[in-house]
Amino acid sequence: MKKYILDLKVKAVESLSEKHVLLRLTDEKSLPEMLPGQFVEVRVDGSSTTFLRRPISINFVDYKENELWLMVAMVGDGTRQLGCLQEDDVVNCVLPLGNGFTIQGGETALRKVLLVGGGVGVAPLLYLGAELKQQGCDVTFLLGGRSAKDVLELDLFNKYGRVCVTTEDGTMGEQGFVTNHSVLTESFDKIFTCGPTPMMKAVARYAKEKDIDCEASLENMMACGLGACLCCVEKTTEGNLCVCKEGPVFNTKRLLWQI
């Protein structure tokens, strides 16, 4: 897909939690096509310690309103600067980057799908769920967090499918990890997951045991977004691959997690 460098205007900044904000960005021209699972490299202005762009997952694309949504976890100086943006500020973005989720079932149509996310890893699953629902899939979201305050965008996820929740402290949904949730007793045609690596590895093990096709969106540290700096390399069955260019979405059968 063609890549663009765009100066996008901040249409709104919404607080999702103490550590997370939602940036709703727009442009005078129509936004380019973007796929669920792709990401954006955002330039951070006004920071004396942040020299590289920050990779942010595409949370949602509202073509009707010409909006790109980015969920930002404010964990360092760069992302805190992004969290301080205000309406009408301008953000320079390189997009869309990477390869997205495989949302076509190939010879077998996808009917019932499970989308598993933890923490800020839930971000790309909203756009994915919306696209899958539009294709007629029965979508189930399984979202996990340490506590209720860590489970984000619940009202939006409910628009596109059934939502199941786990929290480690039991303040919302079932207590425990996502791989402990009772919904896993059901059968699914495919699983998509994004979040902390230990969580995704556990989901991948479950999928392998149940012989369910599974795709994971990796969150390796990415600097350039173009496969040049090699800091995001992941070991796969095909050798070392750059997550930013060959991913960030991989079928878990291509990863060496189970070896």
Side-chain angles (χ1 to χ4, degrees), residues 163-217:
V163 179
C164 302
V165 173
T166 65
T167 50
E168 295 177 28
D169 63 3
T171 51
M172 180 182 289
E174 297 184 14
Q175 185 168 9
F177 301 117
V178 290
T179 46
N180 304 130
H181 198 283
S182 58
V183 74
L184 296 182
T185 59
E186 301 178 16
S187 59
F188 296 93
D189 298 322
K190 188 163 184 173
I191 298 174
F192 303 90
T193 185
C194 184
T197 298
M199 183 209 79
M200 291 195 292
K201 287 184 176 180
V203 172
R205 285 194 296 270
Y206 166 82
K208 184 178 181 180
E209 292 170 1
K210 299 296 182 180
D211 194 26
I212 303 173
D213 198 43
C214 179
E215 288 188 350
S217 179

Side-chain angles (χ1 to χ4, degrees), residues 193 200 204 207 212-216 250-258:
T193 185
M200 291 195 292
I212 303 173
D213 198 43
C214 179
E215 288 188 350
F250 290 88
N251 191 295
T252 54
K253 294 176 182 177
R254 299 174 64 194
L255 303 173
L256 299 184
W257 288 351
Q258 312 303 325

